[in-house]
Amino acid sequence: MKKNCIIAQSGGPTPAINASLAGIIKGIIDSEGFDKVFGSLHGVTGVFNEDFLDLTALAEKDDRFLERLSLSPAMYLGSCRFKLQDPAKDDSDFKKLFTIFHKMNIGAFFYIGGNDSMDTAAKLAEYGKKIGSDILFAGVPKTIDNDLVLTDHTPGYGSAAKYIASSLLEMAHDTYIYGIPCVTIVEIMGRDAGWLTAAAALARNSYNETPQLIYLPEVTFDPDRFIDDVKEKLKTHNNLIVAVSEGIRNSEGEYIASTKAASDKFGHAQLSGAGKVLEHFVKEKVGVKCRSVELNILQRCASHLASKTDLDEAFKLGYEAVGHIVNGETGFMTAIKRISNTPYTYNIEAVDVSKVANAAKSVPVEWITPEGNDVTEELINYIRPLIIGEVAHEYKDGLPSYIDIKHLV
């Protein structure tokens, strides 16, 4: 008798995570190796609650389900931020999960997510081996932060980068209309890694030099040096746009936004406000008109501006994960290995998910200018292929028509 499988999504949303979900479903259908595909609502917590969707039935009922799913924002199955404890200290959660897995005749579990989700996938795979379970576990990467190790980049990053660069270009058009000195601070997500903020550099073209200044969390942020940078740029530019990561820190390692930031369950600081802090600083120290813009969640849910390259890669990473599972592999994450920038080519391979969990990839310091206020051409060339291509969306009454998510409401 064929076994069933479960797919879950976890962490923060991206414009591409549903494409990975569609890829897994399509891979399972094509493999003919499983009976039913269940979607666990709200990550691994849905397994505890036995709260599932029958994804097989949805795909069979609507032959356009996977296509519409791939083009919809956020996470069709919902999310959670739940950390499994070390089973060596307390394995009660693991016993409950595996009891449910066996009751449902589960043969494979796919977890789509970022660093913390890979931690869950790694722990489940390790525990499964320990107890002699034949259930296989796979991680499929996603995160707009692009900070997972052992993969060239992560699905979701390309689309978020495309949105950021497009937004900065449109802001440039907006600011150029005035002939008076003005500074616009754009705060972009990035607690410890500046990949998203670096994407702002792609807004530059033959007539637009903005953002003239870019600050990433990988290097120390000096407020006095920042003011000097602003004053210097205003000598030659009436309209100055500055891109800053939310996680920029001073020489003491304190966040500019807050020296006493709250933390989530995983110990990650919850940040917001770096742009506003710098706005007030510019007004005080430079004395010119200044405003701040926080892109916030817009950069991770703007599916109307998704990168086709990003969605295609996300789908393939999910699809290829099924192939490794069918081959009997477990405890892996599918990853992208870049071969070249021009032409842009890559391979997909499986890496040890335990080596991805609890590790983070920062922007290489050599890809940041010595002054710490811009990025190099190498970084721009790394990002540019990932934003290429547009996708055609359906519209209804003038708005994008996305897949129904009433099961989450």
Side-chain angles (χ1 to χ4, degrees), residues 14 47 78 89 102 105 109 187 209 213 274 284 286 296 304 350:
T14 84
V47 181
K89 298 178 180 178
H102 292 136
N105 192 33
F109 180 88
E187 179 184 334
E209 296 180 16
L213 296 169
E284 176 188 351
V286 184
N296 209 298
H304 65 285

Side-chain angles (χ1 to χ4, degrees), residues 139-155:
V140 177
K142 72 87 208 172
T143 174
I144 63 169
D145 294 324
N146 195 40
D147 60 353
L148 294 188
V149 299
L150 302 187
T151 184
D152 179 78
H153 56 278
T154 55

Side-chain angles (χ1 to χ4, degrees), residues 115-282:
N115 190 296
D116 299 323
S117 304
M118 296 308 107
D119 176 73
T120 296
K123 286 176 177 174
L124 288 171
E126 181 181 1
Y127 187 81
K129 288 181 179 179
K130 180 181 177 181
I131 65 173
S133 171
D134 60 356
I135 302 173
L136 305 176
F137 296 90
V140 177
K142 72 87 208 172
T143 174
I144 63 169
D145 294 324
N146 195 40
D147 60 353
L148 294 188
V149 299
L150 302 187
T151 184
D152 179 78
H153 56 278
T154 55
Y157 174 65
S159 293
K162 188 183 187 84
Y163 178 81
I164 289 166
S166 299
S167 297
L168 269 288
L169 177 58
E170 291 168 346
M171 288 182 199
H173 277 256
D174 185 272
T175 59
Y176 279 147
I177 67 174
Y178 297 109
I180 59 173
C182 177
V183 177
T184 302
I185 311 290
V186 184
E187 179 184 334
I188 299 169
M189 283 182 174
R191 179 178 50 241
D192 298 309
W195 298 104
L196 286 169
T197 305
L202 273 65
R204 298 167 181 161
N205 57 31
S206 60
Y207 62 83
N208 170 50
E209 296 180 16
T210 63
Q212 295 93 339
L213 296 169
I214 299 176
Y215 298 93
L216 311 185
E218 282 81 358
V219 294
T220 297
F221 182 83
D222 183 337
D224 294 327
R225 176 64 183 270
F226 164 70
I227 291 299
D228 289 342
D229 289 344
V230 170
K231 289 180 178 178
E232 186 64 28
K233 290 294 183 181
L234 284 174
K235 292 178 181 179
T236 53
H237 299 81
N238 254 346
N239 299 290
L240 182 63
I241 296 181
V242 182
V244 301
S245 295
E246 62 180 348
I248 52 175
R249 300 175 177 87
N250 61 23
S251 58
E252 283 74 45
E254 299 172 329
Y255 291 107
I256 296 299
S258 172
T259 57
K260 296 181 180 179
S263 298
D264 65 15
K265 291 181 180 179
F266 293 93
H268 305 320
Q270 303 296 287
L271 304 176
S272 180
K276 186 61 68 175
V277 169
L278 296 184
E279 173 192 338
H280 292 311
F281 199 43
V282 169

Side-chain angles (χ1 to χ4, degrees), residues 20 24 110-114 118 138-142 155 314 317-318 321 332-334:
S20 291
I24 298 172
F110 299 84
Y111 214 14
I112 315 171
M118 296 308 107
V140 177
K142 72 87 208 172
L317 284 161
F332 67 88
M333 181 190 82
T334 46

Side-chain angles (χ1 to χ4, degrees), residues 37-113:
V37 185
F38 294 103
S40 173
L41 296 184
H42 303 293
V44 71
T45 63
V47 181
F48 285 113
N49 299 325
E50 299 188 51
D51 194 2
F52 301 105
L53 285 182
D54 186 339
L55 297 174
T56 308
L58 291 171
E60 291 175 349
K61 181 179 179 181
D62 179 1
D63 58 6
R64 295 193 61 239
F65 173 73
L66 296 183
E67 176 188 354
R68 298 191 66 236
L69 176 62
S70 294
L71 298 178
S72 292
M75 300 153 92
Y76 181 71
L77 297 176
S79 184
C80 72
R81 293 194 181 275
F82 181 86
K83 187 176 182 66
L84 287 172
Q85 299 302 310
D86 181 351
K89 298 178 180 178
D90 181 0
D91 67 350
S92 57
D93 282 347
F94 292 85
K95 288 180 177 178
K96 182 173 182 179
L97 288 172
F98 275 81
T99 296
I100 295 170
F101 289 153
H102 292 136
K103 181 177 71 173
M104 296 180 62
N105 192 33
I106 299 300
F109 180 88
F110 299 84
Y111 214 14
I112 315 171

